[in-house]
């Protein structure tokens, strides 16, 4: 059974077909990219998977459980997390608090215990802080734990956003253009970071990306969309030489 199974998903916005009969199967520890021109339907894939949109047709299952129609928080609880094309941190909160907030979906106490600061509540809060600091340390962000998130350099904000997503303990991580706004040196570091995250946390990763250096050097499989339709799927070497992909998106200069 696939960890994530998307079958025949179609999505419209008014008269515009954003996705047409889209299919994807993601196994544990897979690292797959969805690429294509702007407006091809890539982010729509993420939005239907995470419950932001309900597809007009098709089915989506996480570990065999159908999720179409579930609220985004319910889908998150099944083990899926995402980042966004534009960094969406709580920028006026500290680096530590950004990660702590993501951990509260795992707590076992309710509002009454929290109100009266019961012993169980205090113990779990201490555990959250400890685990959050461990996560920040893994991402080399522990030294700036008390810094406001907005004060971090852009590359570190991206790193924090991935750390925050992992605080929800996902089995599937969706990364929406993680290299957006990065220079070539930062992209190289990001390739190493994502590869390490996949191995260290044992997650399956589905990413959207325009940066071909990252996609071709990192991903096991690539799906290419154009006007909501899948025009190619395969290994990086297969996508590089696919004439239809070259015509629709990559161009000769993108794959050398």
């Amino acid at each position: 059974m696939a960890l994530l199974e998307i079958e025949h998903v179609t999505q419209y916005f008014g008269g515009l077909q954003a996705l047409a009969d889209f299919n994807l199967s993601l196994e544990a520890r897979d690292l797959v990219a969805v690429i294509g021109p702007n407006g091809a339907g890539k982010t729509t894939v993420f939005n239907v998977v995470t419950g932001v949109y309900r597809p007009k047709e098709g089915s989506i299952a996480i570990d065999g459980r159908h999720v179409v129609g579930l609220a985004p928080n319910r889908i998150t609880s099944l083990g899926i997390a995402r980042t966004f094309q534009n960094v969406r941190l709580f920028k006026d909160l500290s680096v530590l608090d950004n990660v702590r907030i993501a951990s509260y979906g795992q707590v076992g106490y309710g509002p009454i215990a929290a109100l009266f600061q019961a012993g169980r509540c205090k113990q779990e809060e201490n555990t959250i802080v400890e685990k959050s600091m461990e996560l920040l340390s893994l991402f080399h962000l522990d030294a700036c734990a008390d810094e406001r998130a907005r004060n971090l350099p852009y590359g570190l904000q991206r790193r924090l956003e991935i750390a925050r997503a992992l605080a929800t303990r996902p089995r599937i991580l969706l990364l929406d253009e993680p290299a957006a706004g990065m220079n070539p040196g930062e992209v190289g570091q990001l390739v190493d970071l994502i590869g390490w995250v996949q191995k260290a946390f044992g997650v399956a990763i589905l990413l959207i990306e325009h940066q071909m250096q990252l996609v071709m050097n990192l991903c096991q499989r690539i799906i290419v969309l154009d006007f909501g339709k899948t025009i190619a799927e395969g290994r990086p070497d297969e996508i590089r030489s696919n004439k239809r992909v070259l015509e629709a998106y990559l161009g000769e200069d993108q794959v050398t």
Side-chain angles (χ1 to χ4, degrees), residues 95-140:
V95 169
L96 174 59
D97 283 344
N98 268 269
V99 177
R100 286 174 63 194
I101 286 172
S103 303
Y104 281 113
Q106 322 294 326
V107 299
Y109 60 81
I112 295 178
L115 180 64
F116 291 101
Q117 290 291 294
R120 180 182 177 186
C121 172
K122 291 181 179 179
Q123 183 178 359
E124 289 204 47
E125 179 64 28
N126 290 338
T127 299
I128 286 172
V129 172
E130 180 182 340
K131 295 295 183 183
S132 297
M133 286 300 300
E134 288 176 1
L135 195 55
L136 290 177
S137 179
L138 288 172
F139 280 80
H140 305 293

Side-chain angles (χ1 to χ4, degrees), residues 70-85:
L70 294 184
N73 64 305
R74 292 281 305 281
I75 294 174
T76 298
S77 71
L78 296 176
I80 193 164
R82 72 178 290 183
T83 65
F84 295 86
Q85 179 179 352

Side-chain angles (χ1 to χ4, degrees), residues 3-240:
L3 187 55
L4 174 64
E5 192 75 54
I6 304 174
E7 295 182 315
H8 308 297
V9 163
T10 297
Q11 179 68 1
Y12 291 90
F13 299 107
L16 175 66
Q17 188 177 55
L19 282 177
D21 194 29
F22 180 78
N23 297 275
L24 181 146
S25 183
L26 194 68
E27 304 285 347
R29 296 179 181 270
D30 274 355
L31 210 169
V32 178
V34 179
I35 68 172
N38 289 330
K42 304 181 299 295
T43 298
T44 301
V45 172
F46 278 21
N47 286 335
V48 295
V49 168
T50 56
V52 177
Y53 302 145
R54 180 170 184 159
K56 303 300 182 184
E57 300 174 15
S59 65
I60 302 169
I62 297 175
D63 205 16
R65 178 170 179 179
H66 291 279
V67 299
V68 172
L70 294 184
N73 64 305
R74 292 281 305 281
I75 294 174
T76 298
S77 71
L78 296 176
I80 193 164
R82 72 178 290 183
T83 65
F84 295 86
Q85 179 179 352
N86 300 314
V87 175
R88 296 189 185 180
L89 297 171
F90 301 107
K91 293 192 175 182
D92 287 322
L93 297 182
S94 71
V95 169
L96 174 59
D97 283 344
N98 268 269
V99 177
R100 286 174 63 194
I101 286 172
S103 303
Y104 281 113
Q106 322 294 326
V107 299
Y109 60 81
I112 295 178
L115 180 64
F116 291 101
Q117 290 291 294
R120 180 182 177 186
C121 172
K122 291 181 179 179
Q123 183 178 359
E124 289 204 47
E125 179 64 28
N126 290 338
T127 299
I128 286 172
V129 172
E130 180 182 340
K131 295 295 183 183
S132 297
M133 286 300 300
E134 288 176 1
L135 195 55
L136 290 177
S137 179
L138 288 172
F139 280 80
H140 305 293
L141 293 169
D142 49 318
C144 51
D146 296 325
E147 187 76 34
R148 282 191 179 188
R150 69 165 60 254
N151 294 335
L152 293 182
Y154 182 77
L156 293 187
Q157 288 189 27
R158 282 289 186 189
R159 189 177 289 258
L160 175 58
E161 192 176 38
I162 295 174
R164 184 180 64 180
L166 289 169
T168 67
R169 302 179 191 174
R171 292 176 294 164
I172 304 167
L173 181 61
L174 309 182
L175 303 177
D176 192 347
E177 296 197 32
M182 291 186 173
N183 62 44
E186 291 171 328
V187 171
Q189 294 174 7
L190 184 64
V191 169
D192 294 338
L193 176 64
I194 294 174
W196 171 77
V197 165
Q198 183 205 26
K199 294 179 176 66
F201 292 86
V203 294
I205 297 177
L206 180 65
L207 66 90
I208 295 168
E209 190 51 70
H210 286 290
Q211 173 52 255
M212 288 300 103
Q213 174 192 343
L214 185 150
V215 171
M216 296 297 176
N217 291 335
L218 183 64
C219 295
Q220 302 156 341
R221 193 166 87 251
I222 301 169
I223 298 171
V224 187
L225 290 177
D226 191 30
F227 293 106
K229 297 179 180 180
T230 300
I231 61 171
E233 180 174 358
R235 301 185 308 272
D237 59 309
E238 295 172 327
I239 297 301
R240 278 193 186 98

